[in-house]
């Protein structure tokens, strides 16, 4: 496969993946799939197993960030344990889960924490998605 075509494919898949991340969908895994696909198309010469391992590790780190931010910030901003677990579970399925609690302050705190967690997780995953894309493109171009 032509290296220019591979770089264009990685770029398009990466941009699409970043848009999906912003929408709360698993776009980081689309970027990883593009890296693996690019490796397979070149017989793992242009993109080797080391680059693929880095991409997978960074994607897993992004998922951990999403879980941690969702749970941790919901708890920090006054959300109940149920709100924290709701944010954690919501991160797993790609959506924030609202948990009703009797005290309005806890509901607002849980919502703000879950919202901030979602924003922080999205920013972290988008940053890691960009890093994966840059590593893959520079690997192809070297």
């Amino acid at each position: 496969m032509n290296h220019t075509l591979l770089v264009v494919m990685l770029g398009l898949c990466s941009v699409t993946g970043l848009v999906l991340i912003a929408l709360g969908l698993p776009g980081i895994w689309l970027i990883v799939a593009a890296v693996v696909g690019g490796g397979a198309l070149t017989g793992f010469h242009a993109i080797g197993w080391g680059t693929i391992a880095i991409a997978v590790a960074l994607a897993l780190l992004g998922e951990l960030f999403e879980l941690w931010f969702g749970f941790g910030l919901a708890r920090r901003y006054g959300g109940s344990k149920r709100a924290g677990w709701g944010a954690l579970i919501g991160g797993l399925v790609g959506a924030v889960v609202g948990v009703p609690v009797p005290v309005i302050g806890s509901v607002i705190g849980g919502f703000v924490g879950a919202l901030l967690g979602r924003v922080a997780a999205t920013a972290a995953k988008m940053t890691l998605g960009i890093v994966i894309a840059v590593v893959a493109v520079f690997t192809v171009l070297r």
Side-chain angles (χ1 to χ4, degrees), residues 92-142:
L92 290 171
V93 296
V96 176
V97 175
V99 179
V101 291
V103 180
I104 296 297
S106 294
V107 172
I108 292 170
F111 176 74
V112 169
L115 179 64
L116 289 175
R118 187 78 197 139
V119 169
T122 298
K125 284 179 85 170
M126 288 184 80
T127 301
L128 289 170
I130 291 168
V131 170
I132 293 168
V134 168
V135 165
V137 167
F138 278 120
T139 299
V140 171
L141 294 177
R142 70 176 160 96

Side-chain angles (χ1 to χ4, degrees), residues 21-35:
I21 292 169
L23 295 173
L25 298 170
I28 200 161
W29 294 108
L30 174 64
I31 299 169
V32 170
V35 172

